[in-house]
Each structure stands twice: as structure tokens, then as C-alpha cells.
Amino acid sequence: KAQLPIVPASLSPAQLDVAMRAFAGASIREIALARGVRPKTISNQLDATYRKLGVGSRIELYALLAGMKTSAP
């Protein structure tokens, strides 16, 4: 079965989408293009996501999400 990370419910839908795209390896520019917003908006969403999750970087975000994986039903 697919492995999906579990993320806190405190993230907004936009923050969750951005976090998952970042987790998948997309750049800020790629995420911005996919969401139809400016790269600065994505940077701001990532910063807010880092604060909510208690991490300080994309590497820490990846490690956190990778460590929270669980099997999908």
C-alpha cells in the first residue's frame, strides 16, 4: 500500500498542499506556478507551515513528514 505522511490538522488546506508539494521535491517556483500565485506567497506559506510544525527548514520539514509515515488503509 502507499505510504502517506500524517500532518497536523492545524495546517490550512493551502499550507497542506504547499507542504506536500515541497515534500515531493517541488521548488518554490514550481509550487507557485502550479498554484497560480507568486513565489513570495509560497515562501510565506512555507514559513507559516514551518512555525506550525516546529521546524526551521525544508530539510526539517521533509524529515518530519518522512518520519510520520503510516500505511494507508
Side-chain angles (χ1 to χ4, degrees), residues 17-52:
D17 181 62
V18 169
M20 296 309 297
R21 290 175 189 267
F23 178 74
S27 70
I28 288 175
R29 186 171 186 274
E30 291 168 335
I31 298 168
L33 286 172
R35 294 191 48 83
V37 298
R38 294 178 33 209
K40 183 64 177 169
T41 301
I42 301 305
S43 291
N44 291 340
Q45 288 176 328
L46 277 173
D47 287 343
T49 299
Y50 295 162
R51 281 191 304 276
K52 285 184 177 181

Side-chain angles (χ1 to χ4, degrees), residues 4 6 8 25 32 34 36-37 40 43 49 56-57 63 65 69 71:
L4 301 172
I6 299 171
V37 298
K40 183 64 177 169
S43 291
T49 299
S57 68
L65 295 179
K69 285 187 176 183
S71 292

